Amino acid sequence: MTLVAGIDSSTQACKVTVRDLATGAVVREGKASHPPETVVDPEVWWDALLTAVRRAGGLDDVAAVSVSGQQHTPIFLGAGGAVVGPSPLWNDTGSHPHMVALNEELGRDEWIRRTGLPLTLSDTVTKLRWLRDEHPDSVRRTAAVAVVHDWLTWRLMGHGPGGGDLDELVTDRSEASGTAYWSGETEEYTTDLFEHAFGRSALLPRVLKPLERAGLTGAGIPGVPAGIPVGIGSGDNAAAALALNLAEGDAVLSLGTSGVVYARSARPVQDYAGYVCSYADATGDHLPLVATLNAARNLDLGAALLGCTHAELSDLALQAPAGAEGLTLLPYFQGERTPDLPHARGSLLDASLSNFTRPNFARAVFEGTLASQVAMLDTLRDCGVHPGRLILIGGAGQSPAVQHVLAQMVDIPVLVPELDEYVTKGSAMQAGSALTGAFPEWSAAMSPLAPVPLEPRIAGQHVAAQVTMGYREEARTRA
C-alpha cells in the first residue's frame, strides 16, 4: 500500500491525515490545536504541525506529503529566514482602517479591476499596510513575505531560521489569488500594489502551476522522512474543492470558523458591488468566493448559553417554527466581513415574553447563521455564476437543524458529502500528484437532502433586522 499525507493548517488547528493513494481511504490521523488569539507567533503553527504528525504516528512510511491551510495570513521573514514578528490572522479585525486607507488611496474599483478582489480586512495586502503603519521597524527588517501554507511547505523542505534560502519559497495560484497583489487575468503578481501597501519591495514566493512539485522534504524533521516529494499545496477552500471533485455549476457552503460560499468557474470574475472575491482553484480554473467571519462558533455560543450539547441545540431548534415566532439574531459577534461591518456586534431582536423561549432562541441561532450564508449565493448569481446545486460541508453541516433550515432557505438541491476532512483530503491528492504527476481519482459520495417547502420569512426577518440596526444599506441579503 502506498501512503500519502495531507496537512491542513487551519485557523483553529493543524490536522494530518494519512491516506491510501489507491483509494483515498484514511489510514490514520493526528491533530494539534492552535491558540485562539488573532495575532500570533508563526512558530506555533510549525510546532502544531510537528505535534499533529507525531499524533498521526509519524510519516516514516509515507511516500509524499502536501500542506494546505488558512488563506491570507502573512508570514514576515528576515534575510536569514527567521520570522520578523507576530502574524495577524486573516480574521484579525485590526487591519480594517488600513483596508479603508488602501481603498481611499487607489479606489476600490482599481483593486477589483487589477486583482479581482474587493479589498477586505482579511486580504494579505491589508496586513502589509497594518505592519507598515503599526510596526515600521519590522517592515525594514522584512526580506520576504509568504502566507502560512507557503511557509510550512518551505519548512518541510528543510529551510528555516538561519538558513536563508528565501528564493526557495513557493506557492500556488489559490494562495496567490488571496493576497490582493496577484491577477487572475494575467496570472502574475501585481508588484506595484504590493509596494504601494508595504512601502517597499520584498521577495514573494514563486507561483507554481497545478501538478508541479514544490520540492523534497529536508533532513532532521521529527517524524518526517527526508527526500520524499512535497506537493504544491493550496488554500483551504481550493483543497476542499479538489477533494469534492467540484464541477462548474456546483457551489459549496462550508461552515467552519468562517462561513464560505464558493463555486467553480472557468473564468475570473470582477464584482464591482464589492462582495465576491475572484480566487483561483487548484486545477487551473477559478473559485469565486464570498465569506463571513461568523459561522460555526455561533452554534458553540448558543449551546453554551443554553447549557446544552450541540445535538440538544439542534433538537431544540427543530421544535420551533420557521422564523422562531419573530425572534431574530444578527450574529455579527466578531464584526463582519460580508456585509462590511467590522465594528458591529451580535444583536437579538424582537424578543417578547411569549417568543423568548429556549426552542425559539436555538432556532434563531441557526436561522441567523444560515441567513448570512445563503445571502452569499445571490452575490455569486449577480456575477454570472449560477450554481445548480449546493454542497454542504464543515463540521456544523452535519447538524440536522442546519440541514433542515438550509433546505427551507434555498431553491436548488442541497447535497451532503460523507463525513471527511476535505481539506486534508485535497491536500493528500496534491501529495499524490507530486508522486505520480496526476491527481488521484478518489470518490466523494454525497446524499441529497429531502426537499421541504421554502420559508421566505426567515430571510425576510433577517433583512428587517438589518434595517432596524441601520445595516441594510451595506447588507446584501434579500428577502
Side-chain angles (χ1 to χ4, degrees):
M1 179 187 297
T2 301
L3 302 179
V4 292
I7 299 174
D8 171 21
S9 182
S10 72
T11 308
Q12 295 178 303
C14 184
K15 302 170 188 175
V16 176
T17 305
V18 176
R19 297 176 185 263
D20 177 4
L21 178 60
T23 65
V26 175
V27 175
R28 59 182 190 270
E29 55 193 352
K31 179 179 178 180
S33 297
H34 288 157
E37 291 79 18
T38 59
V39 180
V40 304
D41 179 355
E43 289 294 335
V44 302
W45 295 317
W46 177 245
D47 292 342
L49 184 152
L50 296 178
T51 299
V53 164
R54 185 180 73 249
R55 291 174 177 171
L59 306 184
D60 289 330
D61 56 350
V62 166
V65 64
S66 191
V67 181
S68 295
Q70 54 172 294
Q71 287 194 258
H72 311 300
T73 301
I75 310 285
F76 303 105
L77 297 170
V83 169
V84 167
S87 290
L89 273 67
W90 63 272
N91 61 345
D92 181 71
T93 58
S95 56
H96 184 264
H98 311 285
M99 175 205 76
V100 171
L102 290 171
N103 275 324
E104 289 177 346
E105 289 161 5
L106 297 183
R108 187 188 70 165
D109 287 1
E110 181 69 2
W111 291 97
I112 296 170
R113 184 183 70 82
R114 298 282 306 280
T115 71
L117 302 189
L119 278 195
T120 72
L121 60 84
S122 298
D123 299 323
T124 315
V125 78
T126 66
K127 312 302 181 182
L128 302 182
R129 175 52 66 89
W130 168 84
L131 195 73
R132 175 183 172 181
D133 292 348
E134 306 298 330
H135 304 281
D137 183 61
S138 293
V139 170
R140 288 189 289 270
R141 293 187 291 114
T142 297
V145 178
V147 297
V148 175
H149 133 258
D150 313 339
W151 181 70
L152 292 174
T153 298
W154 185 70
R155 295 293 299 268
L156 277 174
M157 294 191 297
H159 309 296
D165 300 328
L166 296 179
D167 57 350
E168 296 298 323
L169 285 163
V170 295
T171 192
D172 84 307
R173 298 168 65 254
S174 70
E175 290 284 34
S177 69
T179 62
Y181 44 85
W182 184 86
S183 168
E185 297 276 355
T186 67
E187 304 266 332
E188 295 178 345
Y189 284 120
T190 52
T191 53
D192 60 314
L193 296 179
F194 177 96
E195 292 169 10
H196 176 84
F198 204 49
R200 50 161 295 192
S201 64
L203 186 146
L204 300 176
R206 181 165 49 94
V207 182
L208 301 179
K209 296 178 181 179
L211 300 178
E212 280 196 78
R213 180 189 290 185
L216 302 174
T217 53
I221 302 172
V224 180
I228 65 171
V230 179
I232 180 177
S234 65
D236 47 7
N237 295 306
L242 182 63
L244 291 164
N245 299 315
L246 201 68
E248 196 164 7
D250 289 342
V252 172
L253 167 55
S254 176
L255 285 175
T257 303
S258 61
V260 179
V261 173
Y262 55 85
R264 183 170 177 175
S265 170
R267 60 177 180 84
V269 304
Q270 293 172 322
D271 179 21
Y272 289 101
Y275 292 93
V276 178
C277 299
S278 189
Y279 297 139
D281 76 354
T283 70
D285 276 349
H286 298 270
L287 206 67
L289 178 151
V290 198
T292 65
L293 293 180
N294 301 276
R297 283 189 287 190
N298 302 342
L299 310 185
D300 297 339
L301 179 63
L305 286 173
L306 292 181
C308 64
T309 65
H310 281 267
E312 290 167 340
L313 184 73
S314 177
D315 290 343
L316 281 169
L318 292 174
Q319 295 171 23
E325 297 183 277
L327 191 66
T328 307
L329 175 70
L330 294 179
Y332 305 148
F333 297 111
Q334 291 188 294
E336 193 45 86
R337 166 175 168 167
T338 307
D340 180 25
L341 299 168
H343 304 300
R345 292 296 179 264
S347 305
L348 188 67
L349 292 90
D350 292 329
S352 69
L353 291 174
S354 60
N355 74 5
F356 200 14
T357 65
R358 286 168 61 85
N360 280 339
F361 177 73
R363 178 88 187 199
V365 171
F366 284 95
E367 290 185 347
T369 299
L370 289 169
S372 292
Q373 318 310 317
V374 170
M376 297 189 289
L377 284 171
D378 283 337
T379 67
L380 288 175
R381 295 186 180 109
D382 290 345
C383 290
V385 179
H386 297 279
R389 61 178 191 167
L390 182 62
I391 300 170
L392 175 64
I393 65 171
Q398 299 298 312
S399 163
V402 165
Q403 295 180 6
H404 182 75
V405 173
L406 180 62
Q408 290 180 316
M409 296 184 68
V410 298
D411 58 359
I412 56 177
V414 180
L415 296 96
V416 181
E418 60 185 355
L419 191 62
D420 205 336
E421 292 286 352
Y422 282 96
V423 177
T424 64
K425 183 177 182 180
S427 187
M429 291 174 72
Q430 291 184 299
S433 73
L435 195 62
T436 67
F439 294 126
E441 296 182 1
W442 295 344
S443 64
M446 302 186 192
S447 302
L449 295 185
V452 296
L454 293 175
E455 294 286 355
R457 75 187 73 183
I458 299 172
Q461 284 180 201
H462 193 75
V463 169
Q466 290 175 321
V467 171
T468 298
M469 296 301 296
Y471 299 153
R472 186 63 183 114
E473 289 186 356
E474 299 176 80
R476 188 72 171 192
T477 315
R478 297 177 177 174

